[in-house]
Amino acid sequence: MTSSRFLLVFCTNILLQLVALTIAQVQDTALYSVCSSNQGNFTANSTYQANLNHLLSSLTSNTKIDTGFFNISYGQNLDKVNAMGLCRGDVKPDSCRSCIATATVELPKRCPNEKEAIIWYDNCMLRYSNRFFFGNMEFGPWFSMYNLKNASDASTFNQAVKSLLDSLKIKAAPGDKFATGNANTSAGAGSQTIYALVQCTPDLSEQQCIDCLNNATELLPKCCDGRLGGRVIAPSCNFRYEIGRFYDVTADAPTTSPSPSPSPASLPPPPTPTPTADQPPASQESTNSATQKGKASPSTSATFVLVLVPLLFWQYL
C-alpha cells in the first residue's frame, strides 16, 4: 500500500511538472514576428546597431518595467532607435519583465539586419524602428489565430462574441486601454460562458483605441467565424475570446449588451503572404498590411500543446 501511494504521488508530481513546463514553453514561444524592409537595413558594427544593442540591453536590466508598457528612444538623428513594449494587462510585473527580456534576445535573431521589427508572445509585444511611431494608431502588420473547435450554433455564438467585444472596447478605450469580461450564450444544446479581453497600447487616444479595436473586430467573420476561440493581434491593439477563462483576473462581472460603437476606421486589406525560407507553408492569410511589409516567422510548436493544453491549440489563418 505504501509503495503504491508513493508511486501515485511521484507520478502526480511528474505530471504537474510537465504541465508547468509546457505552459512556460508556450508563454516563451513567439506567436509571430515581422521584419520590415520599409525602413531599410543596417550594417554590422554600424552606429544604428550599437544604439539598438544598447537600448535592448537596457531593457533586460530595467527592474522598473512594472507598469506593463514603455516607450523609449536612444541615439540621434537617422541612427535613433525607438522601441515600445506592451504586456498583457493581467500579466504580473515579473512575468512581464521575463517576456520582454526573451523578446529582446529573440527579435534581433529573427531580424538581424532590419531597422524595424516586431514580435508577439502570449504575454507581451516588443517593437522597434528608426521612425517615430509613438502615439500613432497602426493596424498593420496584423495576424489572426483561431481555435479548431466550432460552436454548434455559429450564428448565435458569433453574435454573443461580437456584443461582448463591443462592450469591452467601450470600457477599455477611455481608461486603462485594457478590459476583460464574460457573457453567457445559449448557442447549441446548453449555455456557455464566453470570456474575452481587449487591449490597446496606452499611448493611444480614446478614439484611436476605438478605431483600432473596430478594425480588429471587423475581421471576426473572416478570422473566427463560429470558432470557440479566436484572436486578432496588431501593433496598436488586440482582442481574444475563449469559452474558458484564460486571463488572470480574480473577478469580472458579466457584460450587458453595449451601445453602438463609433464607425470603424478604414481597414487596410490583408495581403497575400509569401512564404520565406524560414516560414513553412501554411493556410495563413494575414501578416503584412498595406502600410508595412516584411518577413513573417510564425511559431510552429502548437501541436505539442494540443496534448496537454487543448485551449491553447491554434491554427493560423
Side-chain angles (χ1 to χ4, degrees), residues 54-306:
H54 177 86
L55 186 149
L56 294 178
S57 64
S58 70
L59 295 179
T60 60
S61 60
N62 188 350
T63 58
K64 295 183 179 180
I65 299 178
D66 55 6
T67 62
F69 173 75
F70 67 85
N71 48 36
I72 186 172
S73 300
Y74 184 79
Q76 299 292 327
N77 302 321
L78 297 179
D79 292 315
K80 187 174 185 178
V81 185
N82 304 292
M84 176 184 291
L86 176 70
C87 289
R88 211 172 69 185
D90 62 310
V91 173
K92 292 180 171 56
D94 287 347
S95 297
C96 176
R97 286 190 290 268
S98 175
C99 186
I100 293 295
T102 299
T104 62
V105 175
E106 183 65 20
L107 188 52
K109 290 180 181 178
R110 295 187 176 214
C111 308
N113 305 115
E114 288 82 4
K115 291 185 176 181
E116 182 165 291
I118 185 169
I119 191 167
W120 290 274
Y121 294 81
D122 260 331
N123 282 352
C124 72
M125 171 196 75
L126 175 67
R127 60 186 301 207
Y128 55 75
S129 177
N130 61 335
R131 66 183 177 88
F132 187 86
F133 56 83
F134 305 152
N136 296 334
M137 191 282 278
E138 297 189 357
F139 196 72
W142 58 269
F143 69 100
S144 57
M145 301 168 71
Y146 61 86
N147 192 296
L148 293 179
K149 294 184 178 180
N150 293 309
S152 54
D153 183 349
S155 178
T156 302
F157 188 82
N158 288 344
Q159 184 56 50
V161 170
K162 181 66 162 59
S163 296
L164 175 57
L165 292 175
D166 282 345
S167 65
L168 291 179
K169 59 189 173 187
I170 293 175
K171 178 182 176 182
D176 295 333
K177 305 297 188 291
F178 177 78
T180 61
N182 64 82
N184 292 325
T185 175
S186 57
S191 177
Q192 289 180 311
T193 301
I194 305 170
Y195 298 88
L197 68 76
V198 301
Q199 185 171 23
C200 295
T201 57
D203 60 325
L204 299 187
S205 68
E206 178 178 351
Q207 188 59 50
Q208 285 176 316
C209 181
I210 286 287
D211 290 343
C212 189
L213 289 171
N214 277 336
N215 280 346
T217 55
E218 285 293 305
L219 293 169
L220 274 168
K222 186 177 184 63
C223 80
C224 320
D225 186 26
R227 301 290 183 171
L228 292 181
R231 51 176 139 176
V232 170
I233 303 176
S236 292
C237 67
N238 66 85
F239 75 75
R240 181 180 177 183
Y241 72 89
E242 295 279 2
I243 57 169
R245 191 158 75 179
F246 56 92
Y247 48 81
D248 183 15
V249 174
T250 55
D252 54 3
T255 309
T256 57
S257 299
S259 303
S261 57
S263 301
S266 58
L267 180 67
T272 302
T274 303
T276 61
D278 59 347
Q279 178 182 350
S283 59
Q284 153 197 325
E285 168 131 10
S286 61
T287 296
N288 309 324
S289 76
T291 58
Q292 181 175 352
K293 298 180 180 180
K295 298 183 296 184
S297 302
S299 169
T300 57
S301 61
T303 304
F304 177 67
V305 182
L306 174 63

